Structures are given as structure tokens and as C-alpha cells.
Amino acid sequence: MFSIVPRKYVSRLPNSCKVLKRLSSSISSSESVTNRKTENLKRDILQYRHIYPEFLPDPKFEFRNIIREKLERNDMIARRTQIDIPEFYVGSIMAVSSSDPHTPGKFHRFVGICIQRGGCGLRAHFTLRNVIDHQPRPWLERWERKNLQGVQDLGLPEKFYKRAQELAKPWEKYDLMKEYMQVFILLLFVVVITRTIPEEEQTEIFSEIQSKLQKLEVTRKQLKKKRVFVKPIKLA
Amino acid sequence: MAFVFSNIVSKCCIKSLEDAFLTLSVTGSATQVRERHVLGPKPRLRNPTWFTKKLKSKTDEELVTPENEEFVKEVVQDIYNKPIPIQKELITNIEWTPKLQRTGVIAKKIGVYPLWFSNGKRTSTTLLQVLDNHVIRYYTPEEYDPPRKRVGRIYNRKGCLLLGAEGADPSNFTREYCGFPDAALPLGTLLTSMHFQVGNYVDVRGKTIDRGFQGVMKRHGFKGMPASHGVTKTHRRGGNIGGGGEKGRVWPGTKMPGHMGNRYRIAKGLKILRINTKYNVLWVSGQAIPGETNSIVYVFDTKLPLRKPTKPLPFPTYLGDIDENIPEDIYDESIHNFSNPTIVYDEE
């Protein structure tokens, strides 16, 4: 620690000060270890926002209420004790099974690729899609506007491409402010509308449910070992 | 050096900005005088019964001598330091009958989220948090003078309970509930979510979201007119507002643009699907309850004749303690508990 302090500065310090400094340094070193630990824990907790995005509430300020959000999260965890929801992202290939009164056997299973994940709380949803009649995967973005190579010329009129270039906003993806918040300045009044939940609140929310989620993960792993593969019966 | 320089620049900027604002404000006040737009007659103000008008005295404050001040203090202490008058003993063995009217509560609308029925169907519910409701006052039928007078000969005069919630502005957090003297409660009685029962129906009164001056499409759900096909300047207009001949005038009550929202409305006949006793929350069917999230609403037993409760209600209110014997969450029979196993349909 002392090596960092300039020589001149140390020599000028009186003896008692030196002792104090040494003591403080020993304390600070132990503190730094705990700090590192808490920082690691914090980072782990913040990782949850990618794994469980639906636990974060709607950032729209008008719809927020702390008690409602707490009750909603409790219900979500209660539901997760009964169904097995693995970690998944947009692009994951997975199967969804559900009970359906209208299918023979009252059981429905769908295998597909996740193309969308949205909503929050109990209203969270995702979209699965698989190949239907040998169609390619759906196009969700207008690729011709992204200046991609290898796009087949569709023989569209010149006007179409000109218009596409006019409407293109290539800078938008670098606009972090747009992602984070919108600020209106109205003659000395500043109104801030957040589009995301702030980091402090995220840690608060996830540290509250972390222990429960970890328990669920452990039980899921145990169940995974126990589960036996049952070959599906061909129907009709 | 660079730092100093930038500091000067920023100071200059602030000064120039301030000047700009000053000139703006000066020009704004000098030239722009707009007419006041009057939106019909204002709603009549009915002051609550506990409201006492302030007496305005024109005398100077210096004229009040220290003796006068002491005297005023004495009078105030004489009036307000009296012990609370002994309440009549609460009669709890009254059997509830459909004709008896209970008090309602003051609640807060805290949001909307779905619940599932045990047959797998989804339903939207609104969460109403019952606030810290206390009985503040009881007016006996003799002394209660309702702001809305009942018509005809009155055989059964009603008393009135005054409730208060949250130590904030009493004009927002108090509410009067009329009822027959049987429903009276002693001062300071706490009303909780256990006042209501799962499966019963309630009415919820709230102030709708203020949407300001709106056109007919938003206000009355008119269809408007086509966007193209030769239509000009009439896309969101109401169109014709009256016929000719004998009826050649605008009939009263014609739907036209105007102020929308910011008025009290009652959503009637909402079923209570779930109750949380820890946070005092009621899950009530439907998502169209007047008012925005976090606004104050008033919840009371429904007045609809066909949705009266069949089982006896706790009358005048639930008086037991909320302890471990009472579950934290009470679900209606039709609702699927989140911690129950997934719904599976039987094969016939």
C-alpha cells in the first residue's frame, strides 16, 4: 500500500499518523476483499436480467406499484415450482408441452425456434416457430435497408430503394440515450421518462428473489436426472 | 488552463441563456393574452359534513394580546381535550340479512394482472389495496343531514359512518358510508380486506382518467370517415348532427366533442376472486375500473339485486384478529392457485 504513496508525502507524515495509516491499510485490505466479494455477487445478480427478463417490471412509470410487483413476482415463483422453465433466449430451439382440451389425448407438444420474447410479469410471452411446408425462417427485418451483401435482387423499382435509403437510420443503434431514457426539457422543467429499469432497482428486485430462484434451479437439476424419456405415441 | 477556459465559456452560456429566458418571458407576457375558454357550468361543490368554514377576521395580528392568546388556548383545550365519549357497546351477534347495508372501504387501485380459472381460461383482474381504514365518526340518524335529500316520506332514517385512511389530505382520504344504525361501528375500528369475502360481488367507485378535450372518435367511439377515396378534411369528424324540418335543430344530448374523463364513475358487479390478507389486497374481476393506477377508489357491497351474497356476511365488519389461522391468500373456488399442479384434462 505504501509504495503507491509518494515518498515525499510519507516522510512528511508524523509517526502517529504512520501507525494510523498502517492500521487503516490493513483494514482497507480486508475491506477490499469483502468489497470484491459483494461486487462479484452484484455482478451475478445483474446477470439475472438476461436469464429472467420477465421478473423486471414494466418501466412505464404510470403503471408501477411496488406491492403489485412484489405480489406478481411471488405468483411467478409459485408457478415455477410447478412447471419447468429452463434458461432460454431468442434463437433457442425448444419444445413446449401444454394440456389442450381439443387435441386427442388432451396433450399438445410443439417443437420450434424461439423468435420473440416479450412482456413482463405474469403477462410475459414468447413465440415459437418451426418450418411449415418447407418455408424458410421468417423475415422480421427489412434486410435491404441494412446494406447486407448477398441479398437477391428482387427487381423492385428504383424508387423503392431510394425511399428505403431515405428512411434508413443507421445511427439509431448507437443511440444509447434512446435505449436508456427520453428527456424532455420544457423551459426550466426537466422531465425524464425512463425506458429501462435502473440498475439499483434491478439488484434490489433480483436479490429479493435470488434465493428462491436458486432453489428452483437446484430442484430442476435434480428432476432432470430423474426424468425418463418416454417415446411419444403416434396418433392417428 | 483549458479547464478555466471552459468554465468561462459555460458561465457565458448560462448568462446568455438566462437573458434569452428573460426576454422570452417578457415578450410572452406582453403580447400573448388569450381568451379564457369556459367549459360549461362547473360541477356544484358539495362540502363534506365535517367541513367547517374558516372564519376570516380583519383584525391585525398585533391586536391580539397575550391574555387573549392564552384565553384562546384554554378554549381550544376545553373543546378538544375532552375524553372520547363512551361508545355504545358493539353488538356483534346481529345476523346479516340481505336488507342490511354494510360500510364500504377506501382502497387504492394498484394494477392489473391475469389470474387463471381452474378450467384453464385466463381472466384479467384488477388489484385493489385496502388502505389503513379507520372509523373516524358516526352520525346518528337524527343528526345526519345528507347532502342528497331522499324523496318522499322517510320511515327509516339512515345514519352515516365517516371513514379515514392515510394521514394525508382528508378531502382525498375520507369517505362517508350511509347505513342503518345496526351497521354502526365504534370510533377507531380498523377495516381490513377481511371485510369482504371471496366470491361476493362489489361495486367500485373511482375518478376516471382525465383525457382533456377529445373528439368524437375517442370520446364516443365514432367511426370517423375514410382516409382516402376523395375524402378531404373530414377524417375524424362527427358528421351530421341533426335532421331538418320539424326536428331542425341540434337535439339535446347529441354526442359531440368535449371534455372526457375526470368524473366519478361506478363499475358495478365485480366479483372478488382472491384476497391477500398480508397486504390487504383484493383481486377483482375486470380491468376497466375507473381511475389510473395508484388512484383512490371506494369499494362497497354491490347494489345489483341479482348479485347479492348468498352466504351471511361478517356484520358490521370482520372483527377477529388476522393471525396465523387465516391463510395469507384466499382463493375463490373457480380460481387456479399458482402453487397447485398444472391443469390436466381428463380423457373421456
Side-chain angles (χ1 to χ4, degrees), chain B residues 81-143:
Chain B
N81 267 14
K82 271 185 217 162
I84 301 165
I86 299 155
Q87 295 286 309
K88 65 164 188 176
E89 278 295 302
L90 192 66
I91 308 156
T92 50
N93 55 4
I94 304 168
E95 267 288 299
W96 180 84
T97 55
K99 282 194 176 177
L100 282 174
Q101 214 172 341
R102 298 195 308 159
T103 171
V105 295
I106 303 166
K108 194 184 202 179
K109 178 178 165 179
I110 59 172
V112 177
Y113 76 64
L115 290 183
W116 278 263
F117 289 120
S118 32
N119 63 358
K121 286 266 157 59
R122 197 189 103 129
T123 181
S124 267
T125 55
T126 305
L127 283 78
L128 304 173
Q129 190 193 12
V130 177
L131 298 174
D132 199 15
N133 281 264
H134 289 277
V135 176
I136 294 177
R137 201 170 161 180
Y138 174 65
Y139 301 90
T140 56
E142 289 78 43
E143 67 177 321

Side-chain angles (χ1 to χ4, degrees), chain B residues 255-275:
Chain B
K255 288 175 177 174
M256 281 203 263
H259 192 277
M260 184 180 173
N262 197 26
R263 57 190 68 196
Y264 281 104
R265 286 288 174 267
I266 304 174
K268 287 190 179 180
L270 310 170
K271 197 177 185 185
I272 300 172
L273 299 174
R274 179 180 162 188
I275 290 173

Side-chain angles (χ1 to χ4, degrees), chain A residues 209-222:
Chain A
I209 53 172
Q210 192 200 18
S211 57
K212 289 174 190 171
L213 284 173
Q214 272 178 343
K215 249 183 226 168
L216 283 177
E217 269 168 31
V218 169
T219 50
R220 195 166 67 218
K221 271 174 194 166
Q222 285 169 351

Side-chain angles (χ1 to χ4, degrees), chain B residues 39 84 94 124 166 273 281 294 321:
Chain B
L39 288 170
I84 301 165
I94 304 168
S124 267
E166 309 263 309
L273 299 174
V281 177
N294 298 322
D321 292 326

Side-chain angles (χ1 to χ4, degrees), chain A residues 61-65 67-68 70-72 75 78-79 81-83 99-101 104-106 122-123 187-188, chain B residues 21 110-114 116 127 129 274 276 279 281 283 293-294 338-343 345-348:
Chain A
F61 187 75
E62 303 94 278
F63 297 156
R64 294 202 59 186
N65 181 291
I67 291 171
R68 203 271 327 282
K70 192 176 266 184
L71 289 166
E72 201 168 2
D75 284 350
R79 189 77 198 101
T81 56
Q82 297 300 325
I83 50 168
S99 34
D100 182 5
K106 312 284 175 196
L122 285 169
R123 276 176 279 189
L187 203 73
L188 303 178
Chain B
F21 281 138
I110 59 172
V112 177
Y113 76 64
W116 278 263
L127 283 78
Q129 190 193 12
R274 179 180 162 188
N276 185 300
Y279 294 102
V281 177
W283 275 254
T293 307
N294 298 322
F338 281 102
S339 50
N340 282 358
T342 310
I343 300 158
Y345 301 103
D346 293 330
E347 263 186 283
E348 290 111 61

Side-chain angles (χ1 to χ4, degrees), chain B residues 171-338:
Chain B
S171 58
N172 287 336
F173 291 102
T174 55
R175 177 86 184 126
E176 285 173 347
Y177 286 102
C178 297
F180 301 118
D182 288 340
L185 285 166
L187 299 191
T189 312
L190 179 70
L191 294 164
T192 59
S193 60
M194 288 297 285
H195 182 67
F196 297 104
Q197 281 179 339
V198 149
N200 286 339
Y201 292 87
V202 288
D203 292 351
V204 181
R205 182 174 187 262
K207 205 177 203 183
T208 53
I209 296 169
D210 192 357
R211 292 175 200 275
F213 196 95
Q214 291 297 333
V216 282
M217 278 178 77
K218 188 158 190 166
R219 195 173 182 221
H220 300 296
F222 282 21
K223 199 152 183 270
M225 270 169 261
S228 65
H229 287 64
V231 182
T232 54
K233 299 175 190 172
T234 51
H235 303 294
R236 297 181 64 87
R237 286 182 160 201
N240 190 12
I241 55 164
E246 214 169 275
K247 294 167 193 155
R249 60 197 165 89
V250 180
W251 280 68
T254 306
K255 288 175 177 174
M256 281 203 263
H259 192 277
M260 184 180 173
N262 197 26
R263 57 190 68 196
Y264 281 104
R265 286 288 174 267
I266 304 174
K268 287 190 179 180
L270 310 170
K271 197 177 185 185
I272 300 172
L273 299 174
R274 179 180 162 188
I275 290 173
N276 185 300
T277 50
K278 190 179 170 192
Y279 294 102
N280 277 323
V281 177
L282 309 172
W283 275 254
V284 148
S285 64
Q287 55 179 1
I289 281 157
E292 55 236 291
T293 307
N294 298 322
S295 64
I296 300 299
V297 292
Y298 309 108
V299 188
F300 45 93
D301 295 331
T302 188
K303 308 268 177 190
L304 297 180
L306 296 179
R307 300 196 193 176
K308 293 279 181 199
T310 47
K311 278 181 252 169
L313 290 172
F315 190 84
T317 183
Y318 178 80
L319 289 163
D321 292 326
I322 294 172
D323 48 12
E324 289 138 25
N325 300 333
I326 293 162
E328 195 188 315
D329 270 301
I330 307 167
Y331 285 86
D332 187 46
E333 294 158 4
S334 61
I335 292 293
H336 179 251
N337 190 333
F338 281 102

